[in-house]
Amino acid sequence: MGNSYYFRKIHSLLGVIPVGFFLIEHLLTNYEATKGPQAFVDQINWLNGLPLVLLLEIVGIWLPLLYHAVYGLYVAYQARNNVSNYSYFRNQMFMLQRVTGVITFLFVAWHLFETRLQVALGNVAHENLGMTMHDIATNPVMFTIYVIGIVSATFHFCNGLWSFLVSWGITVGPRAQRYSSIIWMVLFVVMSVMFIMSLTAFTDTQFQVPVEAHTGH
């Protein structure tokens, strides 16, 4: 019981810091695509220019993300959803949190395979990730899959923030929890719209060619 309690606390905390920060950073980076290929590449180059970027990614992103994902799948497997018997709002949200967690895990794994892993293998250059995303976004099936993955990831994060505040004793009473639900669901809508706008931006024909072709370099 004691170990389970602490494992869940760590799982909850890592879902906000640093995994949540990574999601927001990913949102802001991809949103640069709405300003054109050069803005997107400039943001990527800025991130890659950070000192000790590989160490930061391993320690600050991938290991916490791996723990959160694997333990989250365990929690989803162990969870007992009683939506059919207790069909009220929070129970529905509990079920959706587990479902979107599984979808998000599969989506993130596939997205990393299509982008980060291809860069690591030398198949795609960082500055050509916009072209990779253009190929994905212009495929109707992949566009739909990405929208589902995006909405699942943002819901899982925002609804997880509600649970985090409750489990850590920050929002205690019903009124605080009600306002918290409204705030995080508004954030869910805003983040989802921004992510979908970013994905739609990659369909622009400007992303068909390397950035050098636009700048003449």
Side-chain angles (χ1 to χ4, degrees):
M1 290 293 291
N3 288 337
S4 176
Y5 172 82
Y6 288 113
F7 287 154
R8 287 175 180 267
K9 284 290 186 180
I10 294 171
H11 172 262
S12 174
L13 181 62
L14 291 180
V16 178
I17 307 169
V19 174
F21 284 163
F22 169 67
L23 179 66
I24 293 174
E25 176 275 315
H26 209 60
L27 168 62
L28 297 176
T29 297
N30 282 277
Y31 193 72
E32 290 295 304
T34 62
K35 304 175 185 177
Q38 186 63 59
F40 177 66
V41 169
D42 287 345
Q43 183 68 15
I44 289 178
N45 289 337
W46 179 80
L47 289 171
N48 291 326
L50 293 174
L52 302 175
V53 62
L54 181 59
L55 180 63
L56 288 173
E57 285 189 341
I58 293 174
V59 177
I61 298 175
W62 307 127
L63 290 180
L65 181 60
L66 181 63
Y67 176 87
H68 185 79
V70 172
Y71 191 76
L73 289 175
Y74 169 77
V75 171
Y77 176 76
Q78 293 290 325
R80 296 180 179 179
N81 297 321
N82 297 314
V83 175
S84 59
N85 296 327
Y86 306 98
S87 185
Y88 52 89
F89 174 75
R90 191 40 60 185
N91 206 353
Q92 294 284 351
M93 300 295 272
F94 175 87
M95 182 195 70
L96 287 174
Q97 184 70 3
R98 291 339 184 229
V99 172
T100 55
V102 175
I103 294 174
T104 299
F105 174 78
L106 297 174
F107 171 67
V108 169
W110 177 249
H111 179 58
L112 290 176
F113 171 79
E114 289 191 304
T115 54
R116 292 298 186 95
L117 183 59
Q118 300 309 313
V119 171
L121 294 175
N123 297 329
V124 178
H126 272 114
E127 58 269 19
N128 292 333
L129 279 173
M131 297 173 62
T132 299
M133 288 305 303
H134 174 79
D135 293 338
I136 293 171
T138 52
N139 182 316
V141 175
M142 292 307 301
F143 186 92
T144 302
I145 291 174
Y146 263 66
V147 168
I148 293 172
I150 286 167
V151 172
S152 295
T154 52
F155 176 87
H156 189 76
F157 170 62
C158 293
N159 189 55
L161 284 171
W162 182 91
S163 300
F164 170 81
L165 294 177
V166 172
S167 64
W168 284 79
I170 299 173
T171 51
V172 179
R175 183 177 181 182
Q177 292 175 11
R178 183 169 62 253
Y179 282 119
S180 180
S181 293
I182 295 172
I183 291 171
W184 300 128
M185 286 304 99
V186 170
L187 180 63
F188 159 62
V189 172
V190 171
M191 291 182 66
S192 296
V193 169
M194 290 179 67
F195 262 126
I196 294 173
M197 287 177 63
S198 304
L199 184 63
T200 303
F202 285 116
T203 64
D204 195 301
T205 54
Q206 293 184 84
F207 286 96
Q208 286 181 322
V209 295
V211 171
E212 290 80 1
H214 296 285
T215 61
H217 295 160

